[in-house]
Amino acid sequence: MVPLFFVMFVANYMDRVNLGFAQDQLRADVGLSAAAFGLGAGIFFIAYAIFEVPSNMLMERFGAKVWLTRIMISWGVVATAMAFVNSPGMFYALRFLLGVAEAGFFPAVIYYFSRWLPDSHRGRATSVFLMGSGTATVIVGPISGALLEMHGLWGHSGWQWMFFVEGVFSVVLGFVVYRYLDSGIEQATWLTDEEKAGLVTAIDAEQDARDAQRGTKARVSRWKLLADPQMLLFLWIYFAINVALYAVTFWLPSIVDDIGGLSDLQVGFLTSVPWICAIAAVYVSGRISDRIGKRRPVLVALLLIGGCGTLLAVFVSPWVGLGALCLAAVGFKPASPVFWTIPQSYLDARAAAPGIALINSIGNLGGFVAPTAFGIIEDTTGSTKGGLVGLTVVGFLAALSVLLVRGGGRNDRVRTSKGAAAPAPEESPGVARSVRPGTGAA
């Protein structure tokens, strides 16, 4: 199950960030300024935020198999259509539609894990899944660089070939997902009846323990949980992580290109270096946080490392700056999977789907702010150094904010139906409950 989601996230992230590699050719052919390009890159996240919660709630109704297939095929079609952009208006429209199509993918998978895995395994599974985005950033550079060098083949620009080929791959993968993905534990043909029963029992026990703490199994109000002050902290921290991460992602090819004398393929390979380092950091940090059962200290350390990396990149040469951005990637990239284990453990299962979707949708607006702000800064100053300083501040502020979050470990406190806090038993750290037969939920 996890490897399939890994491959899906590779395709998802590739179609989201390949725009950074097409920047020079696309801007020249379509007539886009740096600010206009940044706006187009970021407008994706506006649509994503608007449609995230509705998409995830529809996923609960139709099941993961149908809904994730729909998401993959629709985003692949839109990503392919990017090859035919011929005006700024069309560029903005397709980036917006790409956000509509992708909305719900990430929180659907996070929610899916909460219905399949106990908390003790969820950190590692989330880390492996998010390694897909790191892998995408590693391979998208060389692949996109090679496709960009097809410029002129059959009368088409290199950026057109890049969007077309990578978009078609996602469409094909969507049909593979429909063939192999199971919506719930009960539908998994690769598990024996005993294994299914054991997994359902283990996950049910975690939710039952929380019900026992409340003294009732009455339905918890989703909206009360979504109005919780801790949710506001989650929204801000994830927003800050995305500001830092997407600023580095979208503008890294441009920063590497400042080294000078490099071909598109060479730029692609060099941009892979920070993300290779980040993949290793994602896996290691996930295992460490699972082993020690303390999420907050790990998350604080990662955000501080990322902030130090962007600050160092301001004051050094482009080649040394590439090393500094490796440090930034090692900090900011693993911060996301470690962060997600905290709200997963805090939210009641019956509010998990909309809660996760809300955090992801609002937090992902950082993906709009980052490229838009960087584009404006570059148009105004002719350099991205001001933006890197801003990322340092964001990273340090987010690290301080994590200290205010309650929980983040295996002895987390869970919210009661009346909003009070009660201690969770050590043997039942997770928040998920299993899928009941016939519910159709993932």
Side-chain angles (χ1 to χ4, degrees):
M1 179 183 71
V2 175
L4 179 59
F5 282 125
F6 173 86
V7 176
M8 290 166 67
F9 203 22
V10 169
N12 174 270
Y13 211 78
M14 180 172 64
D15 287 337
R16 183 183 300 185
V17 305
N18 56 8
L19 185 64
F21 295 92
Q23 180 179 171
D24 290 341
Q25 290 186 17
L26 179 63
R27 285 174 57 185
D29 288 353
V30 180
L32 296 171
S33 65
F37 174 82
L39 176 62
I43 203 171
F44 163 93
F45 297 96
I46 298 293
Y48 202 101
I50 294 172
F51 292 94
E52 184 91 328
V53 173
S55 177
N56 212 39
M57 296 180 77
L58 287 170
M59 186 274 297
E60 286 186 276
R61 177 178 178 182
F62 293 105
K65 183 183 185 74
V66 171
W67 200 246
L68 284 171
T69 299
R70 192 283 304 165
I71 288 174
M72 283 216 66
I73 293 177
S74 61
W75 102 49
V77 170
V78 177
T80 303
M82 284 289 296
F84 305 99
V85 168
N86 56 20
S87 67
M90 187 176 180
F91 174 57
Y92 297 145
L94 285 176
R95 285 294 295 179
F96 185 85
L97 288 176
L98 186 63
V100 174
E102 285 194 24
F105 172 74
F106 181 83
V109 176
I110 297 299
Y111 178 64
Y112 190 91
F113 284 162
S114 74
R115 295 301 187 100
W116 277 75
L117 300 169
D119 181 73
S120 59
H121 290 72
R122 207 176 295 143
R124 278 167 286 178
T126 304
S127 293
V128 171
F129 167 60
L130 289 180
M131 284 171 65
S133 65
T135 302
T137 50
V138 169
I139 66 174
V140 72
I143 292 175
S144 297
L147 293 173
L148 288 171
E149 294 196 345
M150 294 172 63
H151 186 77
L153 180 64
W154 296 343
H156 297 291
S157 298
W159 63 269
Q160 291 179 304
W161 282 110
M162 184 197 73
F163 285 129
F164 185 83
V165 173
E166 292 174 359
V168 168
F169 172 75
S170 294
V171 174
V172 173
L173 184 59
F175 290 100
V176 175
V177 169
Y178 186 78
R179 170 65 179 82
Y180 290 103
L181 187 65
D182 298 302
S183 283
I185 295 172
E186 289 79 6
Q187 290 79 46
T189 57
W190 43 274
L191 291 173
T192 65
D193 290 340
E194 291 78 10
E195 288 169 337
K196 292 176 185 179
L199 186 56
V200 167
T201 300
I203 296 174
D204 269 348
E206 294 183 342
Q207 183 61 34
D208 289 343
R210 279 162 164 70
D211 288 331
Q213 291 293 328
R214 300 185 185 96
T216 177
K217 291 192 176 184
R219 186 176 181 85
V220 178
S221 169
R222 291 179 172 185
W223 300 112
K224 286 183 180 179
L225 286 174
L226 296 180
D228 192 299
Q230 288 293 293
M231 284 293 294
L232 298 178
L233 271 176
F234 293 149
L235 294 175
W236 151 245
I237 293 168
Y238 193 57
F239 174 85
I241 291 172
N242 277 291
V243 166
L245 188 57
Y246 281 108
V248 174
T249 299
F250 280 116
W251 292 93
L252 181 59
S254 177
I255 294 171
V256 172
D257 194 46
D258 289 341
I259 294 173
L262 301 174
S263 68
D264 289 329
L265 186 59
Q266 289 172 325
V267 170
F269 274 111
L270 285 177
T271 55
S272 298
V273 175
W275 305 119
I276 292 174
C277 300
I279 288 176
V282 166
Y283 183 73
V284 171
S285 62
R287 290 191 64 86
I288 290 174
S289 68
D290 271 352
R291 179 169 296 178
I292 68 176
K294 299 293 184 181
R295 318 295 189 180
R296 289 189 303 166
V298 176
L299 182 56
V300 169
L302 291 171
L303 291 170
L304 292 177
I305 290 171
C308 289
T310 53
L311 182 62
L312 180 62
V314 175
F315 301 105
V316 296
S317 66
W319 277 110
V320 180
L322 180 61
L325 291 175
C326 289
L327 187 64
V330 164
F332 291 135
K333 192 68 175 177
S336 184
V338 173
F339 164 81
W340 276 114
T341 60
I342 300 175
Q344 278 179 314
S345 294
Y346 184 83
L347 291 169
D348 185 275
R350 286 157 290 193
I356 290 170
L358 181 66
I359 294 170
N360 193 58
S361 59
I362 301 301
N364 262 314
L365 290 177
F368 170 76
V369 172
T372 303
F374 256 64
I376 294 172
I377 290 171
E378 182 178 341
D379 272 350
T380 303
T381 66
S383 172
T384 57
K385 290 186 176 181
L388 291 173
V389 172
L391 295 187
T392 300
V393 174
V394 168
F396 289 168
L397 288 177
L400 291 174
S401 300
V402 173
L403 299 177
L404 301 176
V405 172
R406 293 195 299 272
R410 291 184 185 170
N411 297 319
D412 293 345
R413 295 168 68 83
V414 279
R415 305 295 295 177
T416 68
S417 58
K418 294 183 179 179
E426 291 187 16
E427 69 272 17
S428 301
V431 299
R433 61 189 177 93
S434 69
V435 181
R436 300 297 185 187
T439 63

